[in-house]
Amino acid sequence: MSGRMELLDPGAPGVDDALLDALIATGVHRRVVVIGDRRTADSLSAMGFEVLGRVAASPGESGMSAWSVGRRVRRVLSGIIDDHETVVGTWSEHALAAALYAGLPADSIDPVVVAASGPPVSPPLASRILGATPRSAVEVRAVGQAAGPALSRRGWRLGPAIDPRSFAPVIPRPAPSVVDRGDMDLVVGLSAGPPELADARFACQAMISLAAAGCAGEIVISSRAGGVREAARWMASAVEALPGSRPRLRIDDRIDRPGSLASELDVVLVTAPGRPWEVSSSLTLRSWLAAGVPAIAPDDRTLRGLVQDGVDARVVPAGDRNAVVRAMIRLAEDPELRVEMSHAAASRHLRRVRGGTQPASDQGSGSFEAKSRAASR
């Protein structure tokens, strides 16, 4: 086989629904070899990928286990591709490492990394002797300007960055909300791709501060968010000391699927990764924006080119909880502003919606006028 194919490991950092949907949305026929179980391969087939083969492994293997995955990738690819005529695209650090361990020629690998978390991938010393391609032979392209420094700290040589706006976000049509908001002034979703990069303790502390300012709120967090159990226990004890409005915490893994809770959320909160060698997926954030959910997000190089502060997002200094709380209070006290920012987010980021074109009556309508008003707030 000649041409191009993808080596995909769904569940690895950055290889989430936001990326997979965006790849299918291009209309390009996508041939893939899957690193994962049978269910994962069947899921990709149902999405529209042509699955050429499967390597039974868990995403994120490291050390000699990662080398073993690479050798299995080599065996699968040997019956599919021509080393000199096929380009193998990767989208995660671990899939790229597997391609290197498989001994693929460097000029046949198109190495792209969307997000990174956990310990950096460090090739075993014996891998070169056993036929691996040296990692210094490839230039990794990061999605978003902020991802580059993180990948450099992880030991990769960088090529040109990829603008996340070049990916068309695809979002599911959200079902009408069946959740009773009660007297909640603001419902916040904590989002990150991968979910473990979300700082649950930081988000819960912000919600307590919001309640102390007199605004009732709810925070929706994934069960996979970093420190969620400890944060839930801390928040349960902290609310007992509040004299008035008490914030709610909801654990809901649908928050890991961008857009699926759009009808229930007022805003998504993005927290800065805790370590400088980690980076969250900008495609996940953009999918929420396309779904019409504005964001409160930490300032970084990618964000500056992706959102417009005060229009579709509130941009705050990384790690500044007081700035996050001020942004929350502003949104909690002004429902009209929330609606305007929602319209602006959908207008600026939505290109295609699963199941058809966005109806004129949905969030995209009236967006440019709303965007201008929001920018003045």
Side-chain angles (χ1 to χ4, degrees):
M1 184 194 80
S2 60
R4 180 187 173 91
M5 57 150 289
E6 321 288 342
L7 184 60
L8 289 178
D9 50 347
V15 189
D16 56 12
D17 291 325
L19 172 66
L20 298 176
D21 283 339
L23 293 179
I24 287 295
T26 63
V28 176
H29 182 65
R30 298 282 179 175
R31 298 177 293 186
V32 303
V33 167
V34 180
I35 300 176
D37 57 22
R38 174 61 62 186
R39 182 177 180 180
T40 299
D42 291 344
S43 175
L44 290 185
S45 293
M47 291 180 68
F49 292 95
E50 180 187 356
V51 177
L52 302 175
R54 181 177 69 89
V55 176
S58 300
E61 297 284 1
S62 60
M64 288 304 296
S65 295
W67 176 84
S68 177
V69 172
R71 305 319 291 176
R72 280 177 270 163
V73 167
R74 179 65 187 175
R75 288 195 293 271
V76 170
L77 293 181
S78 62
I80 298 174
I81 70 172
D82 184 318
D83 283 353
H84 302 289
E85 297 183 8
T86 304
V87 173
V88 177
T90 66
W91 298 93
S92 75
E93 184 184 27
H94 291 281
L96 171 55
L100 296 178
Y101 294 144
L104 296 178
D107 59 2
S108 71
I109 304 173
D110 180 17
V112 178
V113 174
V114 179
S117 70
V121 175
S122 179
L125 294 177
S127 63
R128 289 292 306 280
I129 301 174
L130 298 172
T133 301
R135 65 187 291 166
S136 60
V138 297
E139 283 190 343
V140 180
R141 292 187 295 152
V143 177
Q145 295 291 337
L151 294 178
S152 179
R153 290 185 178 97
R154 298 175 78 89
W156 295 103
R157 187 162 63 96
L158 298 181
I162 300 175
D163 190 337
R165 293 173 297 179
S166 64
F167 294 82
V170 181
I171 61 172
R173 290 193 180 279
S177 174
V178 295
V179 176
D180 181 11
R181 287 180 61 109
D183 59 352
M184 293 296 107
D185 297 315
L186 192 71
V187 181
V188 181
L190 178 64
S191 174
E196 58 264 25
L197 290 185
D199 189 339
R201 179 65 178 262
F202 181 94
C204 288
Q205 289 174 337
M207 296 304 294
I208 291 293
S209 298
L210 178 69
C215 299
E218 180 181 55
I219 182 76
V220 183
I221 303 180
S222 167
S223 64
R224 297 193 291 156
V228 64
R229 291 182 177 85
E230 295 80 2
R233 288 194 291 268
W234 176 86
M235 188 168 176
S237 61
V239 296
E240 297 299 326
L242 293 174
S245 301
R246 295 184 176 182
R248 298 190 309 211
L249 169 64
R250 173 159 48 116
I251 306 297
D252 191 333
D253 285 346
R254 289 180 296 167
I255 197 69
D256 295 337
R257 173 71 165 129
S260 61
L261 291 177
S263 62
E264 300 179 17
L265 302 180
D266 296 313
V267 65
V268 290
L269 172 63
V270 179
T271 55
R275 292 175 284 265
W277 58 88
E278 295 182 321
V279 62
S280 185
S281 170
S282 55
L283 302 184
T284 300
L285 170 59
R286 189 155 185 256
S287 292
W288 280 112
L289 295 168
V293 184
I296 300 172
D299 187 15
D300 64 33
R301 295 172 62 189
T302 296
L303 198 67
R304 290 168 207 161
L306 187 62
V307 301
Q308 186 174 345
D309 187 26
V311 175
D312 54 351
R314 290 293 181 178
V315 180
V316 298
D320 189 338
R321 190 173 71 250
N322 290 334
V324 169
V325 174
R326 287 194 296 270
M328 286 183 176
I329 293 173
R330 183 73 180 89
L331 292 170
E333 294 178 342
D334 193 340
E336 182 182 351
L337 176 61
R338 298 200 300 266
V339 172
E340 291 173 355
M341 292 185 70
S342 171
H343 289 175
S347 173
R348 300 188 75 229
H349 299 277
L350 180 63
R351 293 184 185 176
R352 188 177 302 180
V353 176
R354 181 177 299 282
T357 303
Q358 182 86 340
S361 60
D362 280 2
Q363 289 179 339
S365 62
S367 298
F368 291 105
E369 180 183 356
K371 182 174 69 173
S372 298
R373 291 198 302 271
S376 67
R377 300 299 181 106

